[in-house]
Amino acid sequence: MTAGLVVVHTPAASAADITTDLGITGGGDVVAGGGKAFIAGGDRILVVNANGTPNATIAGLSGALGLAIAPNGTRLYAALRDSNEVAVIDTASLEIIRLISLAEYPCPTNLALSGTRLFVGYGCDQWDGGVVRIDTSFGHASQLTPVASTYASPKVAAAGNTLVVGDSGHSPASLTVYDVIRSQATLRGIIDGYDYDTGFLGDLAITPDGSTVIATFLDSHEYFAWDTSSLQKVRAYGPDPTAGYYLPVVAVSPDGTLVAGGRGTKSGLGMTLYDSATAAPVHTGTLTEHGGRMDLRSLTFSNNDLFATWRDVDSEELHLWRLETGTLPESTLTLTAPSTGAGADILTLTGRLTLPDGSAPGEQPLSVTRYVNDSAKLTFGATTAEDGTFTFKDQPRSAGVIRYDVIWNGSPTVHWSAASATVTLVKAVSSITLSGPETGILGTQLTFSGVLSMGGQPVRSSTPLRILREVTNSNGTVVTALPPVSSITPDGRFRFRDTPAEAGEYSYRVEFDGDRAGLPTTATLDVTVEEAPQE
């Protein structure tokens, strides 16, 4: 078969960066890792690929607001405000593997993760806020340790041995810094909002080493940074006079070299990247055709690209904005697939990941999403060899246009890349091999077995097999439908039984109506049934 190849290159950042209507109004927190991004949506968590395309939904949640993700991308934590729980989610299977009760610490809202320590900002009303620590290394035996009490549900940021708590219910807002190297948090000091005339707290971020905390405030056009050891202000990013009155948000890149500041106004949305050490702006992105606001924690890095959630100022509908910063050298991903085949075929796809300097990338995880006729989809993983090549097999079990999207999530030094390939599959020719006795005795059970195949290969189908029995004797011909066969083994095998009630010529017909992968087919077996011999 001939090979079809489609290569997707990442374009330079521009006003055309992807923005997607998420179809929700609740939530808004966004985190990225493991080749995906996750958006809290109240009763669900939305999952998108690294390039911003929708992937899946984690449903059945109760007030999902705050999110945190493990550095290796394997575990997602979600604060469920309405059920007073934290959900622990496997990011590969998207299954909830654990629910941690916070009955004594109601309305969990904000999360921060440092190592195995998860810090939860909680609080439903005034004067009942606080922070509690969950040690995630204790498995299902949750160990909860109170850290602080606050006026309202606080914002939290943690990295290394540093925790920063910001109480959003006061103006000017102060930041409290804790040392969390031991089981009990130790107060390191307070960054007093009166000293800096800060106003109400907007957003909070911390560098990966925990050395610097960056905060935004409601009526400021700058992003302020403090040293978490000396508690002294070390720099300001901005000012950004276009920030308007919609609360600015802030995030720090995984390697700590970039600070992203987001803002929203009625006339447009904007994003500026700053060098974290010098505060010099290095990149700017805008969506001038959209007016909206950005909420707390609505900004995150996916390596050096950015995901941001924003709300329409009129409808309150939530949107996702993915910005390609163009600050990293480009990788290239290729994908080759058969151009045609049959619905029951096992397809083999190959490709290669190439780094910008031509060096061997080593074993790298890839995310593969398969679409059938642009709707039904399945996501699974693949891994490159040391030289960047990869091969994976898949059996779509469906005719139609099958599209495969492969994404490499990049690294702190190389931009992510993606590739797609399509295969057109027709329904496979089906057949049934039917075996059984040629003769039988009246009143004695007969056993029949068979194999369903497509394209010459045994297969299982969810479509039941119809069994028709035709009996011809001196009384005439009678056709009876026997119970259908719905149990077919993975290798296509099935079995059914019948006990003749009268002598005659029997014909058993097995009918397969076809399915998404294969065409209809039938098989017939004749049996002569005689009366038992007289003794």
Side-chain angles (χ1 to χ4, degrees):
M1 290 180 287
T2 58
L5 172 64
V6 178
V7 182
V8 179
H9 296 286
T10 52
S14 68
D17 287 338
I18 295 173
T19 181
T20 305
D21 186 347
L22 296 174
I24 56 175
T25 57
D29 201 357
V30 57
V31 295
K36 305 181 183 77
F38 303 86
I39 303 103
D43 62 350
R44 74 201 77 171
I45 294 173
L46 304 180
V47 187
V48 300
N49 290 327
N51 64 354
T53 58
N55 183 304
T57 299
I58 304 169
L61 303 177
S62 184
L65 290 178
L67 300 177
I69 193 167
N72 62 7
T74 61
R75 290 290 183 268
L76 175 71
Y77 300 89
L80 307 182
R81 189 180 192 276
D82 296 342
S83 62
N84 299 324
E85 295 172 307
V86 167
V88 185
I89 299 167
D90 184 296
T91 58
S93 66
L94 303 183
E95 297 289 333
I96 297 175
I97 58 177
R98 183 183 173 201
L99 288 171
I100 302 172
S101 174
L102 293 177
E104 297 181 9
Y105 308 98
C107 301
T109 305
N110 304 310
L111 299 180
L113 182 67
S114 178
T116 61
R117 297 161 297 188
L118 181 68
F119 298 94
V120 184
Y122 66 89
C124 305
D125 299 305
Q126 297 176 356
W127 302 113
D128 70 349
V131 179
V132 63
R133 182 175 70 184
I134 302 173
D135 193 330
T136 62
S137 65
F138 277 74
H140 289 275
S142 302
Q143 186 178 66
L144 278 62
T145 305
V147 174
S149 297
T150 59
Y151 173 77
S153 179
K155 298 169 176 64
V156 288
N161 298 320
T162 301
L163 167 68
V164 181
V165 178
D167 197 331
S168 56
H170 292 293
S171 177
S174 297
L175 305 179
T176 306
V177 184
Y178 294 89
D179 190 313
V180 289
I181 190 172
R182 299 175 181 83
S183 58
Q184 296 294 327
T186 303
L187 178 65
R188 192 180 296 172
I190 296 175
I191 299 170
D192 195 329
Y194 284 96
D195 294 340
Y196 299 99
D197 193 22
T198 56
F200 284 102
L201 179 63
D203 204 0
L204 201 60
I206 194 168
T207 56
D209 61 1
S211 65
T212 307
V213 63
I214 304 160
T216 68
F217 300 92
L218 180 59
D219 48 5
S220 174
H221 294 162
E222 293 181 290
Y223 311 88
F224 296 111
W226 284 272
D227 184 291
T228 57
S229 295
S230 67
L231 308 183
Q232 297 299 307
K233 180 180 173 183
V234 290
R235 69 185 62 87
Y237 302 92
D240 185 352
T242 67
Y245 61 87
Y246 287 131
L247 204 61
V249 293
V250 66
V252 180
S253 65
D255 62 1
T257 62
L258 295 172
V259 171
R263 66 222 178 249
T265 68
K266 285 188 175 181
S267 59
L269 296 155
M271 194 74 59
T272 301
L273 262 69
Y274 302 91
D275 182 287
S276 63
T278 66
V282 297
H283 180 84
T284 300
T286 57
L287 282 178
T288 55
E289 69 271 29
H290 297 285
R293 71 172 188 271
M294 295 181 183
D295 296 336
L296 165 71
R297 296 293 173 86
S298 61
L299 178 64
T300 192
F301 278 85
S302 177
N303 290 320
N304 276 49
D305 283 345
L306 288 161
F307 283 105
T309 54
W310 58 274
R311 295 183 185 279
D312 186 279
V313 293
D314 297 318
S315 68
E316 289 292 310
E317 290 180 350
L318 204 63
H319 296 70
L320 179 68
W321 181 17
R322 182 184 64 78
L323 300 90
E324 295 178 345
T325 67
T327 60
L328 292 177
E330 302 284 347
S331 62
T332 302
L333 195 66
T334 62
L335 181 64
T336 303
S339 59
T340 59
D345 287 351
I346 298 176
L347 305 177
T348 300
L349 293 89
T350 61
R352 178 184 288 271
L353 171 65
T354 303
L355 299 184
D357 62 0
S359 62
E363 294 186 359
Q364 296 290 332
L366 305 173
S367 176
V368 182
T369 303
R370 177 237 289 162
Y371 296 86
V372 178
N373 297 322
D374 287 329
S375 56
K377 61 185 178 182
L378 173 71
T379 298
F380 52 94
T383 304
T384 65
E386 286 293 326
D387 64 354
T389 60
F390 62 90
T391 300
F392 63 88
K393 297 180 182 293
D394 184 47
Q395 189 176 28
R397 291 285 293 121
S398 179
V401 177
I402 315 298
R403 187 180 92 242
Y404 292 91
D405 292 347
V406 180
I407 295 175
W408 178 58
N409 200 39
S411 73
T413 57
V414 180
H415 198 281
W416 69 272
S417 55
S420 296
T422 58
V423 186
T424 300
L425 302 181
V426 298
K427 288 194 174 186
V429 175
S430 305
S431 64
I432 294 174
T433 302
L434 188 59
S435 303
E438 296 181 358
T439 60
I441 302 299
L442 180 65
T444 301
Q445 188 180 71
L446 305 175
T447 300
F448 303 90
S449 61
V451 177
L452 173 65
S453 298
M454 294 182 192
Q457 299 295 321
V459 295
R460 174 165 54 186
S461 176
S462 60
T463 301
L465 303 176
R466 281 202 307 273
I467 311 296
L468 299 178
R469 180 188 65 199
E470 181 181 288
V471 181
T472 302
N473 53 26
S474 59
N475 297 322
T477 299
V478 177
V479 178
T480 304
L482 300 182
V485 175
S486 57
S487 178
I488 304 176
T489 65
D491 59 357
R493 299 182 181 276
F494 63 90
R495 178 177 294 184
F496 66 93
R497 296 180 174 87
D498 184 46
T499 301
E502 57 183 320
E505 296 298 325
Y506 282 64
S507 179
Y508 291 90
R509 180 181 175 88
V510 180
E511 298 181 344
F512 173 60
D513 286 340
D515 59 13
R516 293 184 305 172
L519 296 168
T521 189
T522 63
T524 302
L525 183 67
D526 297 329
V527 183
T528 299
V529 176
E530 300 176 344
E531 294 184 1
Q534 298 294 324
E535 296 183 359

